[in-house]
Amino acid sequence: MTDEVPRLLSHGHELSGARAAVATKHHKTATIARALGGPEGLHLQTAVVDTDTLGTFTGETPRPGTPRHTATVKARWACQDSGLDLGVGSEGSFFPHPEVGFITMQVEHVALTKASTGLTIIGTATGGAPWAVRRTIAAEDDLLEFRDLLASGAQRLIVRPATGFTDGPVISKGIASIERLRDAARTAFDHDEAGRAVVESDLRAHHCGPRHHLIHAAARDLALRLATRCPACASFGFGRDESRPGAPCAWCGTPTATLRHHIYSCPTCHRTDVQTIPGSDRADPGTCPECNP
Ligand SMILES: [Zn+2]
Ligand SMILES: [Zn+2]
């Protein structure tokens, strides 16, 4: 993937040169503008919206909707705050890889919404997040394993007691030095029954450089959708919304967890195309519930 501006909104596109507001507390506008901006792209400005009220990565405020819904709500807020008809919102989520539990997966969504019509188009990117840290530590640990990570400046850390606390001053965020990490760990140990603490990546976008690679990829996916016309109604925004498992086992034909179909749809007329993924007709028997239960 290159960082070049794709200029996907050229050639007299309806949105070429349109102004849009990006809802962010976390400085994502520059990352999103690299994909959606440019001379003929969207002209982006930042809308000052407290997106943390929609839920936070550290759990003080539970996230009520799906990440796609949250990205859309943020885009609507950007319209309201700015008075512009176009708004952009983004939302990320992290979860363990469904088959390889120690790998953290990252999904980013970037939504563009048009307030006057309600039309919403969402770009998505999924990938591994091998950089994401999550460790349980005890008082005797020297924490030196985190020194190089903090010295690199690539990301910051959060420390909390291992159990019981989702809020309050015993949780330290945005930790950028080993000294502050030690102080924060002492506070967390003192508030944990077993004297243990959790150290993890601060996933808020302004503290987490590695997240931006996939935020940019999701914005590129959105730009690609904006440049893609629906085969039925010719509106922009046609693209892949989801992928479904069910590829047949190469040995016995039983549907497996391996992806089988991509679902493409139009946000305007809701035409849906189901496409079989090339090479998905013989899934690894290792993923088969019959051959490898
Ligand atoms: Zn099988
Ligand atoms: Zn259509």
Side-chain angles (χ1 to χ4, degrees), residues 97-147:
H97 189 285
E99 285 155 22
V100 191
F102 59 87
I103 295 179
T104 298
M105 298 298 292
Q106 175 188 4
V107 182
E108 297 287 345
H109 300 283
V110 178
L112 175 77
T113 201
K114 191 168 165 60
S116 57
T117 64
L119 176 70
T120 299
I121 301 164
I122 300 176
T124 303
T126 303
W131 46 267
V133 171
R134 185 182 166 88
R135 300 231 212 303
T136 301
I137 57 169
E140 60 271 22
D141 295 337
D142 61 14
L143 303 180
L144 286 175
E145 64 174 306
F146 301 106
R147 190 175 54 187

Side-chain angles (χ1 to χ4, degrees), residues 12 20 22 45 56 92 95 97 109 115 122 157 173 205 227 237 243 282 284:
V22 182
Q45 64 190 63
T56 62
F95 57 91
H97 189 285
H109 300 283
I122 300 176
L157 297 171
K173 303 181 200 173
S243 301
R282 290 173 57 80
D284 179 354

Side-chain angles (χ1 to χ4, degrees), residues 99-289:
E99 285 155 22
V100 191
F102 59 87
I103 295 179
T104 298
M105 298 298 292
Q106 175 188 4
V107 182
E108 297 287 345
H109 300 283
V110 178
L112 175 77
T113 201
K114 191 168 165 60
S116 57
T117 64
L119 176 70
T120 299
I121 301 164
I122 300 176
T124 303
T126 303
W131 46 267
V133 171
R134 185 182 166 88
R135 300 231 212 303
T136 301
I137 57 169
E140 60 271 22
D141 295 337
D142 61 14
L143 303 180
L144 286 175
E145 64 174 306
F146 301 106
R147 190 175 54 187
D148 289 348
L149 175 77
L150 291 168
S152 75
Q155 55 174 309
R156 298 187 180 199
L157 297 171
I158 287 175
V159 177
R160 68 173 110 193
T163 51
F165 286 89
T166 56
D167 197 2
V170 299
I171 299 177
S172 304
K173 303 181 200 173
I175 294 167
S177 71
I178 192 80
E179 294 76 19
R180 209 175 140 228
L181 178 63
R182 290 201 168 107
D183 287 346
R186 268 192 292 276
T187 302
F189 294 145
D190 288 347
H191 289 83
D192 188 73
E193 281 181 12
R196 286 150 63 86
V198 170
V199 179
E200 59 193 353
S201 299
D202 188 335
L203 295 171
R204 294 174 295 166
H206 60 311
H207 285 326
C208 191
R211 261 192 76 191
H212 285 253
H213 182 71
L214 269 191
I215 294 172
H216 177 241
R220 276 187 65 96
D221 184 52
L222 173 60
L224 183 64
R225 290 192 72 146
L226 295 178
T228 304
R229 299 281 163 181
C230 171
C233 75
S235 298
F236 57 81
F238 192 75
R240 188 197 302 174
D241 270 328
E242 61 171 316
S243 301
R244 292 181 187 157
C249 169
W251 287 355
C252 74
T254 300
T256 67
T258 303
L259 295 180
R260 178 60 166 155
H261 295 111
H262 291 319
I263 314 299
Y264 292 77
S265 60
C266 171
T268 298
C269 74
H270 304 294
R271 174 198 172 108
T272 298
D273 287 352
V274 179
Q275 293 186 6
T276 302
I277 299 170
S280 69
D281 54 338
R282 290 173 57 80
D284 179 354
T287 66
C288 174

